[in-house]
């Protein structure tokens, strides 16, 4: 399995943790026209912000964080190559807005402020995103506006009926939701995420369908 397959499989395994926009991208099979003319979508400054943004969501702990795992370049690649134009525009707008907020509140770039200040800014944007999603849901109804997959069962059904599911996941994109999705996907499908954040055995030898975890044990890769 290459990383493309791993990312796609992991997206469906994550079920309700991903936004409708990201699930829609994987149902499309990254097959839209987004590869054309997007090579310069992000500037060098944008890519620095992406690296710090991802590292704020998954920082270094006992294991290396998102920056060490190369999640920033992964996010840029995914947005350029896989997401449709409305999502690309919303993501770029959100990225510029994040930088403007950092400058307005702290008179510094997002990459120059402290980790605590980054968390403060992202918490505000996260709360605004949740409020916008709820407002949109009230307008259009939960079946069309929820930003999460409803149940693992529906995600499984989507794999067997991708054409029916595509329409359900053509929702308004949200910058923070996409950034969170791609940080999780990029990290847990990276070598660091799969071998250090997860319990990893290079040559397991056999398949055990049900294994009890010990207290504090990491989940298996």
């Amino acid at each position: 399995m290459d990383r493309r397959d791993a990312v796609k499989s992991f997206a469906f395994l994550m079920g309700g943790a991903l936004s409708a926009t990201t699930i829609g991208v994987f149902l499309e099979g990254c097959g839209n026209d987004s590869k054309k003319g997007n090579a310069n979508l992000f500037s060098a400054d944008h890519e620095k912000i992406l690296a710090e943004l991802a590292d704020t969501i998954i920082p270094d702990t006992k294991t290396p964080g998102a920056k060490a795992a190369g999640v920033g370049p992964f996010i840029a690649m995914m947005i350029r190559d896989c997401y449709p134009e409305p999502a690309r525009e919303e993501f770029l707008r959100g990225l510029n807005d994040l930088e403007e907020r950092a400058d307005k509140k702290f008179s510094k770039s997002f990459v120059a402020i402290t980790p605590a200040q980054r968390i403060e800014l992202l918490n505000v944007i996260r709360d605004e995103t949740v409020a916008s999603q709820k407002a949109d849901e009230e307008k259009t109804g939960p079946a069309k506006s929820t930003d999460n997959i409803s149940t693992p069962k529906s995600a499984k059904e989507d794999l067997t009926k991708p054409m029916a599911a595509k329409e359900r996941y053509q929702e308004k994109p949200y910058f923070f939701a996409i950034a969170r999705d791609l940080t999780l996907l990029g990290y847990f499908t990276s070598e660091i995420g799969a071998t250090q954040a997860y319990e990893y055995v290079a040559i397991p030898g056999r398949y055990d369908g049900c294994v009890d975890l010990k207290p504090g044990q990491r989940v298996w890769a």
Side-chain angles (χ1 to χ4, degrees):
M1 179 183 291
D2 60 22
R3 192 176 187 190
R4 181 187 178 93
D5 293 331
V7 169
K8 191 171 183 178
S9 298
F10 190 73
F12 288 108
L13 286 173
M14 289 180 69
L18 295 181
S19 70
T21 301
T22 297
I23 289 298
V25 166
F26 284 100
L27 289 171
E28 291 276 0
C30 294
N32 55 58
D33 63 351
S34 54
K35 289 184 179 180
K36 299 178 180 177
N38 296 311
N40 299 317
L41 181 64
F42 298 114
S43 67
D45 287 341
H46 283 141
E47 297 194 1
K48 291 178 182 176
I49 297 172
L50 285 175
E52 299 301 337
L53 167 61
D55 209 55
T56 304
I57 296 174
I58 303 181
D60 288 344
T61 54
K62 294 180 180 178
T63 56
K67 190 174 182 179
V71 174
F74 172 83
I75 294 174
M77 179 272 292
M78 289 294 292
I79 296 295
R80 280 196 302 260
D81 292 356
C82 296
Y83 280 68
E85 185 173 355
R88 291 199 305 271
E89 292 176 348
E90 171 57 21
F91 191 85
L92 194 58
R93 185 207 63 76
L95 202 59
N96 289 329
D97 176 64
L98 178 63
E99 180 71 347
E100 290 171 3
R101 289 183 191 228
D103 182 62
K104 184 177 181 181
K105 189 170 182 62
F106 303 110
S107 300
K108 293 181 179 178
S109 167
F110 184 78
V111 300
I113 60 179
T114 68
Q117 290 169 335
R118 290 173 189 162
I119 291 173
E120 180 182 339
L121 281 181
L122 289 180
N123 280 342
V124 171
I125 295 174
R126 179 203 58 198
D127 292 345
E128 291 176 356
T129 300
V130 171
S132 294
Q133 289 172 333
K134 288 183 178 178
D136 289 341
E137 183 174 319
E138 290 175 358
K139 293 177 184 177
T140 61
K144 284 200 168 188
S145 65
T146 181
D147 195 49
N148 291 327
I149 295 176
S150 56
T151 65
K153 180 180 177 181
S154 66
K156 184 177 179 180
E157 290 172 347
D158 290 342
L159 287 173
T160 59
K161 300 176 181 178
M163 296 305 293
K166 280 169 57 177
E167 182 177 354
R168 187 154 61 91
Y169 291 121
Q170 289 176 351
E171 311 296 345
K172 177 182 176 182
Y174 299 93
F175 163 72
F176 182 81
I178 295 172
R180 174 206 59 198
D181 293 347
L182 292 180
T183 297
L184 295 175
L185 287 170
Y187 185 74
F188 288 106
T189 59
S190 70
E191 182 175 350
I192 285 177
T195 62
Q196 298 186 46
Y198 282 152
E199 201 75 52
Y200 177 75
V201 177
I203 306 176
R206 71 172 190 274
Y207 172 73
D208 292 320
C210 183
V211 179
D212 293 334
L213 293 177
K214 300 175 183 177
Q217 182 182 348
R218 295 169 297 181
V219 298
W220 292 97

